[in-house]
Amino acid sequence: MIMKKRMKWTGAFIFICMLVLIARLADIQLINTESFGGENVNLIEESVGQRTQEVMIDDGRGRFVDRNLLPVGNFQEPKLVLFPFLKNIEWPKEKLAQITGYSAFALKNMLEDADKPLIMGSAEGITLTESQMDTINDLEIPGVFAIYQQAKKKDEAANHIIGITGESPDVLRERYPDKKELSSKTQVGFTGLEKAFDEFLLPDAETKLLYHVDGDGNPLFGINVKYIANANPFYPVSVKTTIDSRIQKMADAIVTRYGIKKGGLVLLDAETSEVLAMVSKPALERSDSGSHINHMLTPQIPGSVFKTVIAAAAIESGLKLKNSYNCQLDMYGEHDDDSDMGILNFERSFARSCNYTFTTTADELIKKDKKTIEEFAGKLGLTEKNGWSGNVFHYNQFRQFPEEKSPSIWDDPRDKGAFRAVAQTAIGQKNVRVTPLAAANMMATIARGGEKKQVKIADSILYKNGTTMFAFPDQDMEGDGISPYTASKLQHLLRLVVTDKDGTGRRFQSLPFEVSGKSGTAETGHDTVHKWFAGYFPSNNPKYALAVVELDTQSETSSANSIFYDVAAELSRLENASTR
C-alpha cells in the first residue's frame, strides 16, 4: 500500500517536472524567442550569431552632415576584410600584398590565428585608395573584400553636438514599444542630436558581409560570402545641420589651445540665429559621465553680461538717467577703496562695467514696476529656452536641443523688495542663470534690431536620395521684443565697450572686424569665477554673434577675451581667403 502511494507521488512529481520542462521549452522556442529573460535576450539573433560570421559595413543608422553636406561625427573608412577560411585554401596572397604593401607572410600569419573576419584599416597600417580598392575587388578572391565601413570620428570637434549612441534594450523598448522589428542590438541616442533625432535615425536595414559556419568555424555552405545591402532609396536619412565644419574645427582648436577645463563657446549666424559652431569642455568621453554635459546649454551665472538687460529696461522705460554716477562706490553705495573709475556717465559706466550705476538704476526701475527686470530679460530671450521647438510630424513639441535647461532670474519674489538682492540681480549674480546659447542669441537679437528668433542647429532631414523629408522653418521666439530704438541704443553701448579707451573690450580694437559686446565676471561663491565675453561683429554689418565663457576659473586673466579675439581674427582670415 505504501509502495503504491510512493509510486503515485513519484509519478505525479515526474509529470509536474515534465510539464515545467515543456513549458520552459515552449517559452524558449515559441513564446519569448525575441525577448527572453530579465535582459530581454533575442534568442533567434543569438542562435543565428553562433553559426554566422559577419562584417558590419553600415548599421543603417542615419547620420549627420554640415551645412555644406560634409559628414559630421562619422565617415566612410576604407577597410580590407579577410575571412578566416582563407587559411584553409590556396589564394593569391602575393597579389594582395603588392597592392596593399602588407607582406604576404604577415597576412598568412594573421589568418592562422583568426577565428573571425579580419578588418584592417589605417590603425593596422593599411591605407587604401579608391583605385586600390577597385583593384582588390576586381581580383574576385573568395573571402577578400575592400569596403568602405561607416565609422565614428573619435576626435571629432563636434562630438558634444552630435552626441553618444549605444545599445540598451530597455531604453529601446521604452521609447519604441511598437517597433517589435528592431533588434535588441539597435543603437539608440543618449545625448545631443543623436538623442533629439533618434526616431528618425533608427535603421531600416543593415549593410553587411555574411558567412555561415558550423560548430568548428568551418564553411557551412561553401566559401561564398553573402553581401546584404540596404536597397531602400529613402533610408537611412541624413540630418543636415547648420554647423560649418571648418569653423567648428577652428573654434574647437582655439578653445583647446587655451586649456579651458570647463566652458566653451557658441557661435551663431547673426542674421538667422543658426549655430555655426559650438564647443563645450571638458571634451566628450564616453566613459566619463561628467563630460556628457554640454555647458553651452546649461544655465550659468552671467555676471555683468546681464547689465545689458538693465540698460535695455532703462532705455525703453524712459527712465531719466543721471549725468554722472560716482563709480568710486561699490554696488551697495559704499566707498570702494579698490575702485579708481571716478565719476562716469551712463554710457561710460556700461563701457567700463561700473556696478554702482546699474545697481542704483535697477533699484529705480523695480520701484516703478517690480516686473521690469524679468520683463526685459524676456524681451531679450533670457527667460525661456532658446532652441528651436515646434511641430514635426507627430511630435507636438519637437526640440532640437533636448538637453537645454531653463534659465532663471528670481528665486524668491520677496527679493524684489530687498535692495541688496536687487543689486546682486542687476549685475547678473544672486539667482540669475543664463545659458551661453541664450547669451549669444541675445547679442544676435540686438544686432538684428530687436527681432527675437529661435536658435536652429538642424536645417532639414534629408532622404537617402537627397530629397527633403522635413525642413525646419525659421521661427520667432514667443513674447514681445525690444523696440528698434532700444536695440539701436544698445548697439551704441556695446560698441563703446570696445572703442572707449578704458572699455573692458578695448583689446578688440586691433581686430580686422569692428566688434561690439559685453564682458562679465561672475563670482560663484566657491573662490572661483566665470569669465564671459559676448558680442557680435562686424558692428556695422553683423554676421556673427559669439558668446565665450570660462567656468570656475581662478585665473586673474580672461581666456574668454582671448578666445573671442582669436575666433574673430580667424573668421576674418577665412573670409578673406574665400574671396581670393
Side-chain angles (χ1 to χ4, degrees), residues 53-55 81-84 111 114-119 209 211:
Q53 293 178 344
E54 66 179 43
V55 174
V81 179
L82 304 177
F83 278 80
L111 283 166
D115 57 2
K116 59 183 180 180
L118 297 176
I119 307 171
L209 298 171
Y211 168 58

Side-chain angles (χ1 to χ4, degrees), residues 110-135:
M110 293 177 71
L111 283 166
E112 286 297 329
D113 299 325
D115 57 2
K116 59 183 180 180
L118 297 176
I119 307 171
M120 306 169 68
S122 56
E124 293 75 26
I126 293 184
T127 305
L128 299 175
T129 65
E130 188 171 348
S131 175
Q132 287 174 320
M133 294 175 70
D134 290 340
T135 303

Side-chain angles (χ1 to χ4, degrees), residues 509-538:
Q509 291 175 14
S510 61
L511 279 168
F513 285 137
E514 290 185 349
V515 172
S516 301
K518 185 73 187 76
S519 61
T521 300
E523 296 179 1
T524 65
H526 303 288
D527 296 323
T528 61
V529 295
H530 298 342
K531 295 278 192 178
W532 291 75
F533 198 90
Y536 61 88
F537 50 90

Side-chain angles (χ1 to χ4, degrees), residues 142-160:
V144 178
F145 299 90
I147 64 169
Y148 282 106
Q149 188 177 49
Q150 190 76 9
K152 290 282 186 183
K153 294 182 180 179
K154 293 182 180 179
D155 59 347
E156 172 61 48
N159 276 343
H160 260 296

Side-chain angles (χ1 to χ4, degrees), residues 364-378:
E364 288 185 56
L365 288 167
I366 211 139
K367 284 177 179 176
K368 293 177 63 177
D369 183 351
K370 289 190 178 299
K371 296 181 179 179
T372 298
I373 293 180
E374 62 261 42
E375 177 189 342
F376 279 88

Side-chain angles (χ1 to χ4, degrees), residues 43 94 99 133 180 232 278 288 302 370 389 405 429 435 485 525 529 538 553:
L43 297 175
E94 291 75 14
I99 298 170
M133 294 175 70
K180 304 294 185 184
N232 192 319
M278 183 186 293
D288 180 7
K370 289 190 178 299
S389 66
K405 302 295 189 296
Q429 294 282 166
T435 65
Y485 172 79
V529 295
T553 179

Side-chain angles (χ1 to χ4, degrees), residues 51 82 147 340 464 486:
R51 61 177 186 270
L82 304 177
I147 64 169
D340 60 354
K464 182 179 177 180
T486 302

Side-chain angles (χ1 to χ4, degrees), residues 14-84:
I14 292 173
F15 180 72
I16 291 171
C17 288
M18 290 294 291
L19 286 177
V20 171
L21 183 60
I22 291 170
R24 182 66 167 171
L25 288 172
D27 185 40
I28 293 172
Q29 297 193 355
L30 300 174
I31 301 171
N32 290 312
T33 56
E34 295 185 13
S35 183
F36 180 76
E39 296 184 4
N40 295 319
V41 176
N42 189 315
L43 297 175
I44 296 175
E45 286 182 1
E46 295 300 320
S47 174
V48 173
Q50 287 181 349
R51 61 177 186 270
T52 59
Q53 293 178 344
E54 66 179 43
V55 174
M56 185 68 68
I57 297 175
D58 191 329
D59 65 4
R61 185 173 175 84
R63 56 217 59 177
F64 299 91
V65 295
D66 77 351
R67 59 175 47 223
N68 300 310
L69 300 180
L70 298 173
V72 179
N74 55 64
F75 69 110
Q76 299 274 21
E77 183 179 3
K79 294 286 185 73
L80 175 66
V81 179
L82 304 177
F83 278 80

